[in-house]
Amino acid sequence: MTTLTEIKTIGIIGGGQLGQMMAISAIYMGHKVIALDPDATCPAASVAELIVAKYDDTAAIADLARRCDVLTYEFENVSADALAPYADKLPQGLDLLRLSQNRIFEKDFLTKAGVRVAPYQVVSTPTELDDLDLSKKYVLKTATGGYDGHGQVVIKSVEDLEKGRELATTADCVCEEFVDFLKEVSVIISGNGTDFSVFPVCENLHKNNILDKTIMPARISKYLAEEARDMALTIAQSLKLSGTLCVEMFVTQHDILVNELAPRPHNSGHATIESCDFSQFDLHIRGILAEELPKVTLLSPAVMLQVLGQDLGAARHFAKENPSAHLHLYGKIEAKENRKMGHVTLLTDDCNVIGHL
């Protein structure tokens, strides 16, 4: 284990808002940060040294690795092959990165780890969809590359099946039985390779397949919350997790199913910055440096709203009218529609105090 007095240089592949907040935590701990991102005006550029290059630029990654003691990434769509020569500097490991980039690998890992997932089948050709029982509903997802609802088709009719066949001609897919869930939740967990700290379960509400609102702690029973935390811990132990991981789950009438993994801090964990004694970013940095991890304490229930490009004016107005609200703006230059520009967190026992911006 390292001590808090050892100063490290941390390289972050990706300079978006997650990279920015990782860097802020690392800098507060006294470390130096270098980020790599193709956008010279990315959020991390305001707080860290920046190498401007594409995520798969092998020469730039080699330079980053040479200058840094430890490497990490802020999102999973980075090149595992480009990072492979520097695996000894990547505590999160290449296996976790590769399985999180491919839903087929991910489902296989989760099943072998012994956690529950929705019934699914791997679809490599369109004809493998011919025998679907259309009395049930399905979600067909590309094995790689999908996000925020992209690369997905919901199948509940013959017409939908044709759309599914079209998608299956373009890529290998996973076809899952549709889960009639009551809530979507996530568990943020951090590890240092051997020990793990689990954050309170988050309840997530989406709008147009984009995270809109997170309530911490989730409005679920104590039993289901413990079940969710136990499943996240099982996954982290199986991975020998270093850094922060988000486990996204569905809550059904009597059970919890794991949906997918995000091998880094997650938007649904932003409230931890104010609501917990340590944030998901703090423990990500401590975890990848193999430092001792504290057990997380919830200081206050919280509600977090994502601020998209079209919400900036409303977010600023809300913060002005509610001085106790915490407005985080990421410093992105262009406010595009549905682009994540920031978030607002309010410490409150009333989860309905914020509806929508």
Side-chain angles (χ1 to χ4, degrees):
M1 300 288 182
T2 64
T3 68
L4 292 179
T5 58
E6 294 178 358
I7 305 305
K8 300 291 185 182
T9 300
I10 299 170
I12 303 174
I13 295 106
Q17 65 267 17
L18 297 177
Q20 181 192 59
M21 287 182 272
M22 284 183 197
I24 289 169
S25 284
I27 291 164
Y28 278 166
M29 296 176 198
H31 303 298
K32 179 180 178 181
V33 178
I34 306 173
L36 184 151
D37 196 277
D39 181 3
T41 65
C42 67
S46 63
V47 296
E49 183 180 345
L50 186 68
I51 295 174
V52 181
K54 294 181 179 179
Y55 303 122
D56 60 354
D57 185 324
T58 54
I61 290 174
D63 182 41
L64 182 70
R66 178 183 59 80
R67 298 172 60 191
C68 295
D69 300 297
V70 177
L71 297 176
T72 186
Y73 46 82
E74 69 147 1
F75 71 123
E76 51 270 33
N77 291 323
V78 299
S79 172
D81 290 340
L83 288 174
Y86 317 105
D88 61 327
K89 291 191 174 184
L90 190 72
Q92 291 153 283
L94 290 172
D95 289 344
L96 173 57
L97 181 59
R98 286 194 166 105
L99 75 86
S100 66
Q101 290 175 339
N102 188 301
R103 287 189 172 94
I104 297 172
F105 299 164
E106 185 177 71
K107 294 291 186 186
D108 183 61
F109 162 76
L110 292 170
T111 302
K112 289 177 178 175
V115 298
R116 296 179 295 282
V117 300
Y120 74 97
Q121 70 178 76
V122 175
V123 176
S124 300
T125 64
T127 57
E128 292 176 83
L129 295 171
D130 290 348
D131 295 329
L132 283 187
D133 177 4
L134 291 181
S135 67
K136 298 179 180 180
K137 189 175 176 181
Y138 304 88
V139 182
L140 184 72
K141 303 176 182 178
T142 55
T144 60
Y147 68 98
D148 289 348
H150 299 283
Q152 297 186 16
V153 172
V154 175
I155 300 175
K156 54 185 177 180
S157 67
V158 173
E159 291 76 15
D160 296 331
L161 189 57
E162 286 306 312
K163 296 177 185 176
R165 288 193 181 101
E166 290 176 14
L167 184 63
T169 62
T170 65
D172 289 341
C173 296
V174 170
C175 187
E176 304 172 8
E177 287 190 19
F178 186 84
V179 177
D180 187 19
F181 59 87
L182 302 177
K183 296 180 186 292
E184 293 184 67
V185 300
S186 58
V187 179
I188 309 292
I189 184 167
S190 299
N192 60 17
T194 55
D195 298 315
F196 310 95
S197 291
V198 189
F199 289 85
V201 182
C202 306
E203 178 182 341
N204 302 316
L205 290 82
H206 292 77
K207 186 164 64 174
N208 299 323
N209 293 308
I210 301 173
L211 180 66
D212 180 55
K213 180 177 181 178
T214 294
I215 298 165
M216 179 183 283
R219 296 170 296 176
I220 57 177
S221 69
K222 182 178 179 181
Y223 167 80
L224 285 176
E226 286 300 317
E227 186 76 5
R229 289 163 63 92
D230 287 347
M231 292 171 77
L233 184 58
T234 294
I235 291 167
Q237 290 169 335
S238 297
L239 292 167
K240 296 182 174 59
L241 176 69
S242 291
T244 293
L245 171 76
C246 175
V247 184
E248 299 178 53
M249 306 179 184
F250 295 130
V251 178
T252 66
Q253 191 69 43
H254 304 292
D255 202 1
I256 292 183
L257 302 174
V258 175
N259 180 31
E260 60 185 20
L261 307 178
R264 35 75 181 176
H266 191 261
N267 291 345
S268 65
H270 288 338
T272 62
I273 297 171
E274 285 88 23
S275 68
C276 297
D277 54 348
F278 293 90
S279 77
Q280 61 169 344
F281 302 101
D282 298 333
L283 295 199
H284 179 74
I285 298 301
R286 289 194 180 193
I288 63 173
L289 295 178
E291 294 179 355
E292 297 288 348
L293 298 182
K295 299 305 176 187
V296 176
T297 298
L298 180 70
L299 302 176
S300 170
V303 174
M304 186 279 292
L305 282 189
Q306 191 80 66
V307 178
L308 303 179
Q310 62 269 30
D311 303 324
L312 270 177
R316 289 191 175 101
H317 177 75
F318 180 86
K320 183 177 180 180
E321 295 297 311
N322 297 272
S324 60
H326 299 264
L327 174 62
H328 296 254
L329 296 179
Y330 306 144
K332 294 180 181 180
I333 302 300
E334 188 176 0
K336 299 178 183 177
E337 184 174 359
N338 290 338
R339 189 183 195 193
K340 298 179 179 74
M341 301 298 294
H343 68 269
V344 176
T345 301
L346 194 65
L347 304 180
T348 176
D349 290 315
D350 183 2
C351 63
N352 295 312
V353 71
I354 311 179
H356 298 283
L357 291 175

